[in-house]
Amino acid sequence: MVGPARRFKTADIAQQLVGGFLLAGPFVVTEEVWVLAASMSLLQALVTVGIVFAIGYGALYKAEDRDPDREREFGGVPLRFLSLMAVAFGSVLVLALAFDAPATFLEGATTAEQAFVTAKAVSVGAIFSVVGAATADSVF
């Protein structure tokens, strides 16, 4: 087994939230992200989601001396990783909705179109949010 067993605590989630929200903000309010998301295909959005998962896993378990097999799990997935993904995507979505970004950048689009483009914009923003969330969790 590699690395010390480290209990996943509420403080870890708080650190992830700070890092995730900190790096998500600028991408939620950038028009270029919304234009990019509007032009992305479903496949490109899924690849982007895969990139977020890969960055998160790599930052938590490859860049750090942490063993995912020694962590508490839910459904076979480490809680720390599940929390990281929830923060990475959730922080972008919360900020997008709080700032009313879909209505601002997707004026004239139907509700369904706004939802689909917002999901793609969230996947783009999550690439940056996951870096902040993972590094904040690793630093503290």
Side-chain angles (χ1 to χ4, degrees):
M1 293 202 197
V2 176
R6 193 172 151 233
R7 189 171 170 95
F8 184 59
K9 299 181 264 185
T10 305
D12 296 315
I13 295 172
Q15 291 162 1
Q16 287 178 347
L17 284 168
V18 168
F21 273 93
L22 184 67
L23 289 186
F27 296 95
V28 170
V29 296
T30 303
E31 183 177 16
E32 289 82 3
V33 169
W34 292 88
V35 170
L36 177 68
S39 71
M40 289 171 62
S41 69
L42 177 60
L43 177 61
Q44 290 167 321
L46 293 174
V47 168
T48 305
V49 169
I51 291 169
V52 174
F53 276 73
I55 290 170
Y57 189 85
L60 287 181
Y61 302 114
K62 298 303 178 190
E64 286 291 314
D65 194 19
R66 187 181 288 138
D67 183 358
D69 294 328
R70 296 185 68 191
E71 293 193 4
R72 291 178 46 202
E73 297 179 344
F74 180 80
V77 180
L79 284 176
R80 183 180 311 274
F81 183 73
L82 289 174
S83 172
L84 180 66
M85 292 301 102
V87 167
F89 291 100
S91 61
V92 179
L93 180 61
V94 165
L95 289 175
L97 296 177
F99 296 150
D100 201 23
T104 301
F105 296 120
L106 305 173
E107 191 176 343
T110 67
T111 303
E113 290 168 337
Q114 282 188 4
F116 187 55
V117 173
T118 298
K120 294 186 290 184
V122 166
S123 73
V124 171
I127 289 176
F128 304 97
S129 179
V130 75
V131 171
T135 54
D137 181 49
S138 299
V139 170
F140 298 105

